[in-house]
Amino acid sequence: MIVEKLESPWNLARAAARHFVACSLEAVAIRGLFTVALSGGSTPRSLYEVLADPDEPFRELVPWSNTHFFWSDERHVPPDHPDSNYRMAHESMLSHVPVPKDNIHRIHSENPDPAAAAQAYEETIKEVTGPIVPQLDLILLGLGNDGHTASIFPGSEVLNETTRLVAAPWVEQLKTYRITMTLPLINSATSVLFLVSGSEKAEIVREVLQGPRRCPAQEVKPGSGELWWMLDKDAGSRLHNIN
Ligand code: 6PG
């Protein structure tokens, strides 16, 4: 596990962009395609904007035509809904870069049957990445104040999932369904990157990385892949011995 503490959200977005570019070039060099799962929430928006920004050095380095986009989770809303993780990524990055439309594999969360949407998404992932346990090249994740990641919340039955790659848990805390990649899929990735920003996350970051408390984010332990935690200074402010 690599824990990197960056000076500011500005530095955090650019460190994450460097990692994204490095993973994309390595995957395309080895297999001709790069498969990445985007996280939702607010934290990754600045990363997506930096990747798409023509005034930054990253946009021209990403092999967009060989890149396949997935989502590590989605809210049970249509793609044009303000809460849609797809919509956020579309507005902040995908609508501004030369990625083929067929390479954008969003979760069809407008489906009134979330379990069917999850099943369909598992098939989509297997179609692009291969039948057995797909190994995505990069999975982006965030961290909630309760220690949830993707849409794997404390106490969720998804924590015990061992076979399905995508699930549609009812999230009692939010009184809604979510569609989420499961731990078997997340932990089979080549690289998993947690992006965490802001002082309001400092305590949960300390607990997840150095504290006793058990929470879903701690179950992210890639088998053969690498695990990165990129934090801005505020989010990492309560960690000991990590500069
Ligand atoms: C979602 C996310 C979720 C998110 C965390 C952190 O759909 O909400 O995937 O897991 O990453 O809740 O969210 P913020 O970045 O907004 O703090």
Side-chain angles (χ1 to χ4, degrees):
M1 177 166 52
I2 302 155
V3 180
E4 202 177 335
K5 206 156 67 170
L6 288 307
E7 194 52 33
S8 67
W10 190 93
N11 297 90
L12 176 66
R14 284 156 185 76
R18 282 190 291 277
H19 185 72
F20 185 103
V21 169
C23 290
S24 70
L25 296 175
E26 188 180 337
V28 169
I30 296 168
R31 289 181 312 109
L33 86 164
F34 171 52
T35 53
V36 55
L38 302 177
S39 56
S42 57
T43 305
R45 179 188 287 272
S46 49
L47 162 63
Y48 303 157
E49 288 167 348
V50 161
L51 286 169
D53 185 342
D55 300 328
E56 293 275 351
F58 310 105
R59 190 177 188 284
E60 65 196 35
L61 298 173
V62 175
W64 299 104
S65 57
N66 306 87
T67 298
H68 285 257
F69 288 96
F70 298 89
W71 277 258
S72 35
D73 75 323
E74 186 57 282
R75 290 85 183 270
H76 194 212
V77 295
D80 58 357
H81 190 283
D83 293 348
S84 162
N85 288 338
Y86 163 78
R87 177 176 167 177
M88 187 273 276
H90 176 76
E91 289 174 351
S92 58
M93 176 174 63
L94 299 173
S95 57
H96 307 290
V97 295
V99 59
K101 291 220 167 340
D102 292 348
N103 289 18
I104 299 174
H105 310 282
R106 71 176 181 83
I107 297 173
H108 289 257
S109 46
E110 67 272 27
N111 185 332
D113 178 350
Q119 180 57 44
Y121 202 56
E122 180 160 331
E123 297 314 315
T124 300
I125 293 169
K126 288 177 175 174
E127 277 159 29
V128 176
T129 63
I132 320 301
V133 172
Q135 185 175 33
L136 294 176
D137 297 304
L138 176 62
I139 294 184
L140 301 178
L141 295 174
L143 179 67
N145 285 321
D146 58 359
H148 80 261
T149 191
S151 283
I152 306 173
F153 284 78
S156 172
E157 82 268 5
V158 180
L159 283 163
N160 310 316
E161 184 59 55
T162 55
T163 52
R164 285 180 302 164
L165 306 177
V166 185
W170 171 256
V171 182
E172 184 58 29
Q173 299 93 321
L174 303 174
K175 299 274 183 265
T176 184
Y177 284 100
R178 287 279 186 99
I179 297 130
T180 185
M181 290 185 171
T182 62
L183 291 167
L185 179 57
I186 293 171
N187 286 333
S188 71
T190 305
S191 185
V192 176
L193 170 57
F194 277 94
L195 275 185
V196 192
S197 175
S199 55
E200 73 281 0
K201 296 282 178 69
E203 183 51 26
I204 189 63
V205 166
R206 186 193 68 73
E207 292 201 32
V208 169
L209 294 179
Q210 296 180 333
R213 176 167 157 190
R214 299 298 313 159
C215 62
Q218 287 156 321
E219 304 308 323
V220 176
K221 295 174 269 201
S224 58
E226 59 183 21
L227 176 59
W228 286 75
W229 283 79
M230 287 190 186
L231 319 165
D232 65 13
K233 193 172 59 183
D234 292 346
S237 58
R238 294 193 189 167
L239 292 175
H240 310 298
N241 314 324
I242 294 185
N243 300 318

